[in-house]
Amino acid sequence: MAEGVPMLEDVKDLLQELLGDPLLSDLPHDIESEEVRSHISKIKGHVINLYLLRPSSKLRVWVLHNATVSDLQKTVSRAIQRSSTNIPKTYSWRYFWKRHCLAVGSTMLLEQTKLLVHYNVKNNDNLKLTRRVRRRQVITNTTCSSSLSNSTTTRTKK
């Protein structure tokens, strides 16, 4: 265990040196590896800039060109969590995304695995958070009448 302590110190020193770099100085302290990759891609110009329209503000987020809806949701979740002080760290984003979705214009981004390119998401588009439309099972008259006729026929056979 004592061998790992100097290595941990070396990693911390290297991390502090990297965060001191002018290109990476604006990164938050709790950044994830995917966010570092997207930030480097942003510097290279390989990202899509998007704006999340909220009632109080307009949040800027960016994702890679080959990002999926799920990647965009993770990015939006992190951006909202960083910008809002009243959202707890243990907030259930999984529950939130079950009831809400992102929309670009009038197009709802419903399928998690689809690429943003399939939805025609372009650079500098505006995103909105909208409630998902619940699908309800529609019972037609033919289904009701057939189930009623089956129940009456079983009664008459007894």
Coordinates of all heavy atoms in Angstrom, one line a residue, residues 78-117:
R78 N -25.1 17.6 -17.1 CA -23.9 18.1 -16.4 C -24.0 19.7 -16.4 O -23.7 20.3 -15.4 CB -22.6 17.6 -17.0 CG -22.4 16.1 -16.9 CD -21.9 15.8 -15.6 NE -20.5 16.3 -15.4 CZ -19.8 16.1 -14.3 NH1 -20.3 15.4 -13.3 NH2 -18.6 16.6 -14.2
A79 N -24.4 20.2 -17.5 CA -24.4 21.7 -17.7 C -25.5 22.3 -16.7 O -25.2 23.3 -16.1 CB -24.7 22.1 -19.1
I80 N -26.6 21.6 -16.7 CA -27.7 22.1 -15.8 C -27.2 22.0 -14.3 O -27.4 22.9 -13.5 CB -29.0 21.4 -16.0 CG1 -29.6 21.7 -17.4 CG2 -30.0 21.7 -14.9 CD1 -30.8 20.9 -17.8
Q81 N -26.6 20.9 -14.0 CA -26.2 20.7 -12.6 C -25.1 21.7 -12.2 O -25.1 22.2 -11.1 CB -25.6 19.3 -12.4 CG -25.8 18.7 -11.1 CD -25.7 17.2 -11.1 OE1 -25.2 16.6 -12.0 NE2 -26.3 16.6 -10.0
R82 N -24.2 22.1 -13.1 CA -23.2 23.1 -12.8 C -23.8 24.5 -12.7 O -23.3 25.3 -11.9 CB -22.1 23.0 -13.9 CG -21.2 21.9 -13.7 CD -19.9 22.1 -14.5 NE -19.1 20.9 -14.4 CZ -18.8 20.1 -15.4 NH1 -19.3 20.4 -16.6 NH2 -18.1 19.0 -15.2
S83 N -24.8 24.8 -13.5 CA -25.3 26.1 -13.5 C -26.3 26.4 -12.4 O -26.5 27.6 -12.0 CB -25.9 26.5 -14.9 OG -27.1 25.7 -15.1
S84 N -27.0 25.4 -11.9 CA -28.0 25.6 -10.9 C -27.4 25.1 -9.6 O -26.9 24.1 -9.4 CB -29.2 24.7 -11.2 OG -29.8 25.1 -12.5
T85 N -27.7 26.0 -8.6 CA -27.2 25.7 -7.2 C -28.3 24.9 -6.4 O -27.9 24.3 -5.4 CB -26.9 27.0 -6.5 OG1 -28.1 27.8 -6.5 CG2 -25.7 27.7 -7.1
N86 N -29.5 24.9 -6.9 CA -30.6 24.2 -6.1 C -30.8 22.8 -6.5 O -31.7 22.2 -6.0 CB -31.9 25.1 -6.2 CG -32.3 25.2 -7.6 OD1 -31.6 24.9 -8.5 ND2 -33.5 25.8 -7.8
I87 N -30.1 22.2 -7.4 CA -30.2 20.8 -7.8 C -29.2 20.0 -7.0 O -28.0 20.2 -7.0 CB -30.0 20.6 -9.3 CG1 -31.0 21.3 -10.1 CG2 -30.0 19.1 -9.6 CD1 -30.8 21.2 -11.6
P88 N -29.8 19.0 -6.2 CA -28.8 18.2 -5.4 C -28.0 17.3 -6.3 O -28.3 17.0 -7.4 CB -29.8 17.3 -4.5 CG -31.1 17.4 -5.2 CD -31.2 18.6 -6.0
K89 N -26.8 16.9 -5.7 CA -25.9 16.1 -6.5 C -26.5 14.7 -6.7 O -26.1 14.0 -7.7 CB -24.5 16.0 -5.8 CG -23.7 17.2 -5.9 CD -22.3 17.0 -5.3 CE -21.5 18.2 -5.5 NZ -20.1 18.1 -5.3
T90 N -27.4 14.3 -5.9 CA -28.0 12.9 -6.0 C -29.3 13.0 -6.8 O -30.1 12.0 -6.8 CB -28.3 12.4 -4.6 OG1 -29.2 13.3 -3.9 CG2 -27.0 12.2 -3.8
Y91 N -29.5 14.0 -7.6 CA -30.7 14.1 -8.4 C -30.8 13.0 -9.4 O -29.8 12.6 -10.0 CB -30.7 15.5 -9.1 CG -32.0 15.7 -9.9 CD1 -33.2 16.0 -9.2 CD2 -32.1 15.6 -11.2 CE1 -34.4 16.3 -9.8 CE2 -33.3 15.8 -11.9 CZ -34.4 16.2 -11.2 OH -35.6 16.4 -11.9
S92 N -31.9 12.4 -9.6 CA -32.1 11.2 -10.5 C -32.4 11.7 -11.9 O -33.5 12.0 -12.3 CB -33.2 10.3 -10.0 OG -33.5 9.3 -11.0
W93 N -31.3 11.8 -12.7 CA -31.4 12.2 -14.1 C -32.1 11.1 -14.9 O -32.8 11.4 -15.9 CB -30.1 12.6 -14.7 CG -29.6 13.9 -14.1 CD1 -28.7 14.1 -13.2 CD2 -30.1 15.2 -14.5 NE1 -28.5 15.4 -12.9 CE2 -29.4 16.1 -13.7 CE3 -31.0 15.7 -15.4 CZ2 -29.6 17.5 -13.8 CZ3 -31.3 17.0 -15.4 CH2 -30.5 17.9 -14.7
R94 N -32.0 9.9 -14.5 CA -32.6 8.8 -15.2 C -34.2 9.0 -15.1 O -34.9 8.8 -16.1 CB -32.2 7.5 -14.6 CG -32.7 6.3 -15.3 CD -32.2 5.1 -14.6 NE -32.6 3.9 -15.3 CZ -32.4 2.7 -14.9 NH1 -31.7 2.5 -13.8 NH2 -32.9 1.7 -15.6
Y95 N -34.7 9.4 -14.0 CA -36.1 9.6 -13.8 C -36.5 10.8 -14.6 O -37.5 10.9 -15.3 CB -36.4 9.8 -12.3 CG -37.8 10.2 -12.0 CD1 -38.8 9.2 -12.0 CD2 -38.2 11.5 -11.8 CE1 -40.1 9.5 -11.7 CE2 -39.5 11.8 -11.6 CZ -40.5 10.8 -11.5 OH -41.8 11.2 -11.3
F96 N -35.7 11.9 -14.6 CA -36.0 13.1 -15.4 C -36.1 12.8 -16.9 O -37.0 13.2 -17.5 CB -34.8 14.1 -15.1 CG -35.0 15.4 -15.9 CD1 -35.9 16.4 -15.4 CD2 -34.4 15.6 -17.1 CE1 -36.1 17.6 -16.1 CE2 -34.6 16.8 -17.8 CZ -35.4 17.7 -17.3
W97 N -35.1 12.0 -17.4 CA -35.2 11.8 -18.9 C -36.3 10.8 -19.3 O -36.6 10.7 -20.4 CB -33.8 11.3 -19.4 CG -32.8 12.3 -19.3 CD1 -31.6 12.3 -18.6 CD2 -32.8 13.6 -20.0 NE1 -30.9 13.5 -18.7 CE2 -31.6 14.3 -19.6 CE3 -33.6 14.2 -20.8 CZ2 -31.3 15.5 -20.1 CZ3 -33.3 15.5 -21.3 CH2 -32.2 16.1 -20.9
K98 N -36.8 10.1 -18.3 CA -38.0 9.2 -18.6 C -39.2 10.1 -18.9 O -40.1 9.7 -19.6 CB -38.3 8.3 -17.5 CG -37.4 7.1 -17.4 CD -37.9 6.2 -16.3 CE -37.0 5.0 -16.3 NZ -37.4 4.0 -15.2
R99 N -39.3 11.3 -18.3 CA -40.5 12.2 -18.4 C -40.3 13.4 -19.3 O -41.2 14.0 -19.6 CB -40.9 12.6 -17.0 CG -41.4 11.4 -16.3 CD -41.9 11.5 -15.0 NE -42.5 10.4 -14.4 CZ -42.2 9.1 -14.5 NH1 -41.2 8.7 -15.2 NH2 -42.9 8.1 -13.9
H100 N -39.0 13.7 -19.6 CA -38.7 14.8 -20.4 C -37.8 14.4 -21.6 O -37.2 13.4 -21.5 CB -38.0 15.9 -19.6 CG -38.8 16.5 -18.5 ND1 -38.9 15.9 -17.3 CD2 -39.5 17.6 -18.4 CE1 -39.7 16.6 -16.5 NE2 -40.1 17.6 -17.2
C101 N -37.8 15.2 -22.6 CA -36.9 15.0 -23.7 C -36.4 16.3 -24.3 O -36.9 17.4 -23.9 CB -37.5 14.1 -24.8 SG -38.8 15.0 -25.7
L102 N -35.4 16.3 -25.1 CA -34.9 17.4 -25.7 C -35.5 17.6 -27.1 O -35.9 16.6 -27.7 CB -33.4 17.3 -25.9 CG -32.5 17.3 -24.7 CD1 -31.1 16.9 -24.9 CD2 -32.5 18.7 -24.1
A103 N -35.7 18.8 -27.5 CA -36.3 19.1 -28.8 C -35.5 20.2 -29.5 O -35.0 21.1 -28.9 CB -37.8 19.6 -28.6
V104 N -35.4 20.0 -30.8 CA -34.8 21.0 -31.7 C -35.9 21.5 -32.6 O -36.3 20.7 -33.4 CB -33.6 20.4 -32.5 CG1 -33.0 21.5 -33.4 CG2 -32.5 19.9 -31.5
G105 N -36.3 22.7 -32.4 CA -37.4 23.2 -33.2 C -38.7 22.4 -32.8 O -39.0 22.4 -31.6
S106 N -39.4 21.8 -33.7 CA -40.5 21.0 -33.3 C -40.2 19.5 -33.3 O -41.1 18.6 -33.1 CB -41.7 21.2 -34.3 OG -41.2 20.8 -35.6
T107 N -38.9 19.1 -33.5 CA -38.5 17.7 -33.5 C -38.1 17.3 -32.2 O -37.1 17.8 -31.6 CB -37.4 17.5 -34.5 OG1 -37.8 18.0 -35.8 CG2 -37.0 16.1 -34.7
M108 N -38.7 16.3 -31.6 CA -38.4 15.7 -30.3 C -37.3 14.6 -30.5 O -37.4 13.8 -31.4 CB -39.6 15.1 -29.6 CG -40.6 16.1 -29.2 SD -42.0 15.3 -28.6 CE -42.1 16.0 -27.0
L109 N -36.3 14.7 -29.7 CA -35.2 13.7 -29.8 C -35.5 12.6 -28.8 O -35.1 12.6 -27.7 CB -33.8 14.4 -29.4 CG -33.5 15.7 -30.1 CD1 -32.2 16.2 -29.6 CD2 -33.5 15.5 -31.6
L110 N -36.2 11.6 -29.3 CA -36.8 10.5 -28.5 C -35.9 9.3 -28.4 O -35.9 8.6 -27.4 CB -38.2 10.2 -28.9 CG -39.2 11.3 -28.8 CD1 -40.5 10.9 -29.4 CD2 -39.4 11.6 -27.3
E111 N -35.2 8.9 -29.5 CA -34.5 7.7 -29.5 C -33.1 7.9 -29.0 O -32.3 8.6 -29.6 CB -34.5 7.1 -30.9 CG -35.9 6.6 -31.3 CD -35.9 5.9 -32.6 OE1 -34.9 5.1 -32.9 OE2 -36.7 6.2 -33.5
Q112 N -32.7 7.2 -27.9 CA -31.4 7.4 -27.2 C -30.2 7.1 -28.1 O -29.2 7.7 -28.0 CB -31.4 6.5 -25.9 CG -32.5 6.8 -25.0 CD -32.2 8.0 -24.2 OE1 -31.1 8.2 -23.8 NE2 -33.2 8.8 -23.9
T113 N -30.4 6.0 -28.9 CA -29.2 5.5 -29.7 C -29.0 6.2 -31.0 O -28.0 6.0 -31.7 CB -29.4 4.0 -29.9 OG1 -30.6 3.8 -30.5 CG2 -29.3 3.3 -28.5
K114 N -29.9 7.0 -31.4 CA -29.8 7.7 -32.7 C -28.8 8.8 -32.7 O -28.7 9.5 -31.7 CB -31.1 8.3 -33.2 CG -31.9 7.4 -34.0 CD -33.0 8.2 -34.7 CE -33.6 7.3 -35.8 NZ -34.7 8.0 -36.5
L115 N -28.1 9.0 -33.8 CA -27.1 10.1 -33.9 C -27.8 11.4 -34.0 O -28.9 11.4 -34.6 CB -26.2 9.8 -35.0 CG -25.2 8.6 -35.0 CD1 -24.5 8.5 -36.3 CD2 -24.3 8.8 -33.8
L116 N -27.2 12.5 -33.6 CA -27.9 13.8 -33.7 C -28.0 14.2 -35.2 O -28.9 14.9 -35.5 CB -27.0 14.8 -32.9 CG -27.0 14.6 -31.4 CD1 -26.1 15.7 -30.8 CD2 -28.4 14.7 -30.8
V117 N -27.1 13.6 -36.0 CA -27.1 13.9 -37.4 C -28.5 13.5 -38.0 O -29.0 14.1 -38.9 CB -26.0 13.3 -38.2 CG1 -26.0 13.5 -39.6 CG2 -24.7 13.8 -37.6

